[in-house]
Amino acid sequence: MGNVWLAFGLTLIAGLSTGIGSLIAFFAKKTNTKFLSTSLGFSAGVMIYVSMVEIFSNASDVLTEVHGEKIGVLYTIIAFFGGMFFIGLIDKLIPSEKNPHEVKMVETEDEEVNKDRLKRTGVLTALAIAIHNFPEGLATFVAALQEPRVAIPIVAAIAIHNIPEGIAVSVPIYYATGSKKKAFLYSFASGLSEPIGALIGYLILMPFMNDTVSGILNAAVAGIMVFISVDELLPSAREYGEHHLSIYGMVAGMAVMALSLWLFI
């Protein structure tokens, strides 16, 4: 149960980092795109490395031990790509103009804006983030539950990923309503879907948990994390800054993740 509470706590921290994004939006006239680009690349590196080197490998080991090498590896592969398909389907169902992986900063308060339209944009973006972050919450929770030693780097990567999403929600709400409190609350609430996803996943899956379910779930989580990295984090990182900054950040993220895994051997 200690691991369960740790996993819930870390998932809550990752989800509510959207609130950090809203605070940044209130106090910054411009986004530091170079830092954002490097940070998103770093997050992608952490998630890709831990997914392929640690989580996928552990899932394969568990399933191979239970079902034999041939079938165990097959189950791992199917679950891995099944996780990709699951998060890809959710991403597809969200209209592209509301997909929340874009930092929307307004440079001046003097600009004439359509307040109703801005508020609608903010609300829809918050809803899109909530839907999209639901499986991320499950992925973070499972990773933290199964492998506490890799939990903190994963949570840090998800948190960095969620900060721009908080900006995307809070800016249109703030300029539509003039209320920083409302903008912060919308942004904060959109991140709650991650711990909710963890809670629902726990309630549904834990009664049936065994080695096979655990292995399949871990392989699916690895697929979800890799998809998020290549579909969201890296493209966003390249969009916000120089191409090489995102790559440098990704390599640094992989190196930090590799070092942290080595230290806990």
Side-chain angles (χ1 to χ4, degrees), residues 5 26 33 77 84 99 106 114 126 137 200:
W5 288 114
F26 298 151
T33 54
I77 293 171
M84 285 189 167
N99 219 321
V106 181
N114 184 326
I200 292 176

Side-chain angles (χ1 to χ4, degrees), residues 21-224:
S22 66
L23 294 176
I24 291 173
F26 298 151
F27 295 106
K29 289 295 182 183
K30 288 188 176 181
T31 305
N32 186 332
T33 54
K34 288 186 177 181
F35 176 75
L36 182 59
S37 176
T38 305
S39 298
L40 289 171
F42 183 91
S43 298
V46 166
M47 292 175 67
I48 291 172
Y49 189 91
V50 75
S51 295
M52 300 305 300
V53 173
E54 185 75 8
I55 299 177
F56 184 92
S57 176
N58 286 349
S60 181
D61 289 344
V62 170
L63 291 173
T64 297
E65 184 176 345
V66 175
H67 299 283
E69 185 172 0
K70 195 78 172 179
I71 299 300
V73 171
L74 177 62
Y75 283 171
T76 307
I77 293 171
I78 292 173
F80 177 78
F81 287 103
M84 285 189 167
F85 176 79
F86 176 63
I87 188 69
L89 182 62
I90 289 178
D91 208 46
K92 188 71 174 176
L93 294 175
I94 300 174
S96 58
E97 66 273 12
K98 303 304 176 195
N99 219 321
H101 306 111
E102 181 177 349
V103 177
K104 300 175 180 68
M105 296 297 290
V106 181
E107 302 296 337
T108 173
E109 295 186 23
D110 296 330
E111 183 180 345
E112 290 294 326
V113 295
N114 184 326
K115 292 187 176 182
D116 289 338
R117 183 176 179 183
L118 271 181
K119 186 174 182 180
R120 182 174 181 272
T121 297
V123 171
L124 288 176
T125 302
L127 180 61
I129 288 173
I131 295 171
H132 195 277
N133 283 0
F134 190 88
E136 287 184 16
L138 178 59
T140 306
F141 174 76
V142 170
L145 185 64
Q146 298 293 328
E147 295 288 343
R149 69 193 179 96
V150 303
I152 293 178
I154 291 174
V155 168
I158 292 287
I160 292 172
H161 163 51
N162 285 348
I163 288 173
E165 295 182 351
I167 296 174
V169 173
S170 63
V171 168
I173 293 293
Y174 172 58
Y175 282 96
T177 65
S179 171
K180 290 183 178 181
K181 181 179 179 180
K182 285 184 179 180
F184 177 79
L185 289 176
Y186 272 94
S187 174
F188 194 74
S190 68
L192 285 175
S193 62
E194 292 208 7
I196 290 172
L199 177 61
I200 292 176
Y202 175 76
L203 293 175
I204 292 175
L205 295 173
M206 287 305 116
F208 308 100
M209 188 59 69
N210 54 38
D211 287 343
T212 297
V213 174
S214 174
I216 290 174
L217 195 57
N218 272 292
V221 164
I224 289 172

